[in-house]
Amino acid sequence: MGSNDIPFLNTGIWNGKLFLSGWNTAGKAHEILEPATGSVLTRVGMATPEDAAEAAKRARAAQAAWAALPYEQRAAIFRKAAVIIERESDGMTQWIVRETGCIPPKAGVELHMAVGILNEAAAMVTQPSGLVLPSDGGRISLARRVPHGVVGVISPFNFPLILSIRAVAPALAAGNTVVLKPDPHTPITGGYLIARVFEEAGLPKDCLQVLPGGADVGQAMCADPNIAMISFTGSTGAGRSVGEQAGRTLKKVTLELGGKNRLVILDDADVDLAASCAAWGCYLHQGQICMTTGVILVHEKIAAKVTELLAGKASHLPVGDPATQQVALGPLINERQRDRVHGIVQDSIKQGAKLAAGGTYEGNFYKPTVLTGVKPGMRCFEEEVFGPVASVVSFSSEDEAVELANRTEYGLSLGVISASTSRALALAARIPTGLLHINDQTVADEPHIPFGGRGSSGNGGRHGGPANWEEFTQWQWVTIKDSAPRYPF
Ligand code: NAD
């Protein structure tokens, strides 16, 4: 990796280790494979459910002292962490590109977002945390936000840095301590980069524990009595199981799950811009984004033209190893995902969809694909693909567009493209969604916005901006009297 020359990201720091009260050798080591080449990138420790219990116990023991640390010291840690990411961004870019299989600009987005999230966390420390309520008899009555205790964060492989740090940073800023379990495909980007950054920024020991591990470790965290809240980002299936398990110990749970996002293109749209939006929304990071445009609903008057332009783009976008070539798309995360994507494409063609571009692969590199004539019932219409597949559905009226857009259990992101913003807004008002983009595609995020979805895309939780207070703290009612009263008893 060449990173042995970079002291900050030297693989020797984490080789075979967990970040459990600092760097500690694990019982079991785990090799991280580079999705573009299949070669071994690095080795980390693989946590067990027992490690999760130990980490939660230590994080709980550290929480009160962390929350009581002077606010200036806490804010300074987040500011310093942001500066470290900016300083180390070249080395971090290499790790993100090679571990997640992304193009360098996507790594840049992750780093830029991480810096923004850390600065938001620094600011959160000095934001007002409560209300003064009316009360009789000279009593002072306050409602204030207090931390939950220990927050367990479980994150996926696709945008690992953002999806981990968007929960870790505000949870810590609100006075919680954290146990983070990144996906076993991406423990460096989703875990150890964050551990290194906070270690150097001066976060006290035990406030953050990072445990690469599988679903068994995630389940153990959901059941652990020392963990008060779970912030989960991942698939809807795993999210259901997290919700069930956490429900037994009555934890607060925030679930950010899958999506099958609609891009609706009305008949008055500019076809060039619409095709460009569709290509970006479908193919960015190989379609492995929860907000990926999963279905393109386009008016029948312009459907042929938009499809032709989109297929032209798909056929010309270069695909290859983003660490060594200048490409637009890198590899899918592993062979299993590639086979799943290909199975959906093949089945959809059998079900009547037409292939207008792509549909083939080499290694983990899947060609940008366009399917047209897509109808409800076909796999590419019904399922989240998590691959570079554009599914084009045509409609003849706005009512039909709304009906087709609403034929999904998900509700994460919606884009509507039209020359008339009022027309687009009126149509969008009939489609439930957590994120709405008028005259844009479906993929967008910023550090200070409340991010999340409806329906099977989540449980109503949000990450970011004002939502962080709702998620990572709970209300405490406090009354204060000068002296205790005498009651009739
Ligand atoms: P996944 O659900 O397989 O894994 C996500 C994380 O959960 C991993 O850390 C994994 O080890 C862990 N996990 C898996 N099963 C578990 C269980 N039963 N209990 C506890 N933990 C468990 O998801 P993935 O395939 O890695 O990621 C892709 C999915 O994530 C897609 O569905 C995508 O839409 C979704 N996603 C959602 C958002 C969002 O903010 N809504 C963002 C990115 C990805």
Side-chain angles (χ1 to χ4, degrees):
M1 176 92 208
S3 60
N4 282 323
D5 311 333
I6 310 169
F8 184 74
L9 298 174
N10 191 314
T11 56
I13 295 169
W14 57 65
N15 192 0
K17 291 182 181 162
L18 302 174
F19 191 69
L20 203 176
S21 291
W23 298 104
N24 277 298
T25 304
K28 217 169 103 190
H30 174 63
E31 288 183 337
I32 309 306
L33 303 183
E34 186 175 11
T37 62
S39 57
V40 177
L41 200 53
T42 190
R43 287 165 77 249
V44 296
M46 194 66 168
T48 61
E50 294 71 37
D51 293 323
E54 187 58 32
K57 201 167 88 186
R58 294 184 192 194
R60 185 166 179 184
Q63 189 265 327
W66 164 242
L69 208 66
Y71 68 85
E72 281 181 346
Q73 285 180 37
R74 280 186 289 134
I77 289 168
F78 296 105
R79 284 196 295 270
K80 191 164 176 203
V83 170
I84 294 168
I85 292 191
E86 283 171 337
R87 188 193 75 203
E88 299 293 335
S89 64
D90 287 349
M92 289 190 181
T93 298
Q94 282 188 50
W95 277 106
I96 300 171
V97 165
R98 297 193 60 184
E99 195 186 40
T100 74
C102 71
I103 57 174
K106 180 265 194 181
V109 169
E110 290 222 58
L111 292 167
H112 183 71
M113 275 286 291
V115 168
I117 289 165
L118 286 165
N119 284 325
E120 288 290 312
M124 193 176 165
V125 171
T126 50
Q127 281 167 6
S129 59
L131 304 166
V132 181
L133 304 172
S135 198
D136 290 333
R139 183 173 77 163
I140 298 170
S141 176
L142 308 170
R144 64 180 178 187
R145 307 284 323 192
V146 294
H148 298 300
V150 181
V151 175
V153 178
I154 303 175
S155 62
F157 68 79
N158 58 338
F159 270 73
L161 177 58
I162 296 177
L163 299 174
S164 295
I165 207 164
R166 74 174 183 180
V168 170
L172 287 170
N176 303 282
T177 50
V178 173
V179 178
L180 165 63
K181 191 204 82 63
D183 189 278
H185 290 90
T186 50
I188 308 302
T189 310
Y192 285 173
L193 295 187
I194 298 169
R196 287 290 293 130
V197 165
F198 275 115
E199 195 181 17
E200 193 173 316
L203 184 71
K205 192 170 170 219
D206 284 342
C207 291
L208 173 65
Q209 316 275 356
V210 184
L211 305 179
D216 58 337
V217 177
Q219 287 285 296
M221 288 165 65
C222 296
D224 195 291
N226 285 316
I227 294 184
M229 174 193 174
I230 295 286
S231 166
F232 175 86
T233 303
S235 60
T236 296
R240 286 204 170 94
S241 148
V242 164
E244 279 169 24
Q245 181 74 303
R248 296 205 185 98
T249 44
L250 299 177
K251 290 183 187 7
K252 182 182 171 85
V253 189
T254 294
L255 302 172
E256 298 278 14
L257 309 176
K260 186 71 180 172
N261 309 288
R262 273 52 177 154
L263 177 63
V264 184
I265 304 171
L266 298 184
D267 54 358
D268 59 1
D270 177 311
V271 287
D272 279 319
L273 297 179
S276 175
C277 282
W280 185 260
C282 290
Y283 302 140
L284 189 65
H285 196 41
Q286 298 79 263
Q288 299 172 118
I289 311 179
C290 53
M291 299 166 278
T292 288
T293 300
V295 165
I296 302 163
L297 292 163
V298 53
H299 192 276
E300 60 186 10
K301 267 204 317 210
I302 55 169
K305 188 66 196 162
V306 170
T307 308
E308 183 194 322
L309 291 169
L310 180 60
K313 287 174 192 296
S315 308
H316 288 101
L317 286 172
V319 184
D321 182 349
T324 56
Q325 304 160 44
Q326 199 167 2
V327 292
L329 280 80
L332 294 176
I333 192 72
N334 58 27
E335 284 179 13
R336 194 172 59 84
Q337 280 297 111
R338 180 205 67 198
D339 291 344
R340 185 171 172 273
V341 170
H342 195 54
I344 293 175
V345 170
Q346 293 294 308
D347 286 349
S348 302
I349 293 169
K350 280 186 209 133
Q351 291 168 314
K354 298 271 173 294
L355 188 67
T360 58
Y361 62 86
E362 271 173 52
N364 289 341
F365 300 97
Y366 206 88
K367 291 263 189 241
T369 297
V370 179
L371 293 171
T372 65
V374 171
K375 301 242 174 326
M378 294 180 185
R379 281 191 74 191
C380 67
F381 184 94
E382 303 294 339
E383 294 180 35
E384 183 184 39
V385 179
F386 236 54
V389 178
S391 301
V392 184
V393 183
S394 71
F395 64 84
S396 57
S397 68
E398 286 189 21
D399 284 346
E400 190 188 5
V402 169
E403 200 266 321
L404 286 164
N406 282 329
R407 276 204 195 202
T408 176
E409 63 176 317
Y410 297 110
L412 184 55
S413 186
L414 169 68
V416 185
I417 301 190
S418 167
S420 162
T421 48
S422 54
R423 197 179 158 204
L425 275 165
L427 181 116
R430 300 164 67 192
I431 306 167
T433 184
L435 314 168
L436 169 62
H437 301 295
I438 301 298
N439 281 322
D440 210 340
Q441 45 74 47
T442 54
V443 180
D445 193 7
E446 289 175 24
H448 54 283
I449 61 102
F451 185 100
R454 304 176 60 141
S456 296
S457 293
N459 63 343
R462 297 290 184 267
H463 282 99
N468 285 337
W469 283 104
E470 289 159 35
E471 298 303 331
F472 298 109
T473 65
Q474 55 189 279
W475 284 112
Q476 182 185 52
W477 181 40
V478 182
T479 68
I480 304 163
K481 291 179 176 175
D482 207 30
S483 61
R486 187 173 302 284
Y487 285 98
F489 290 177

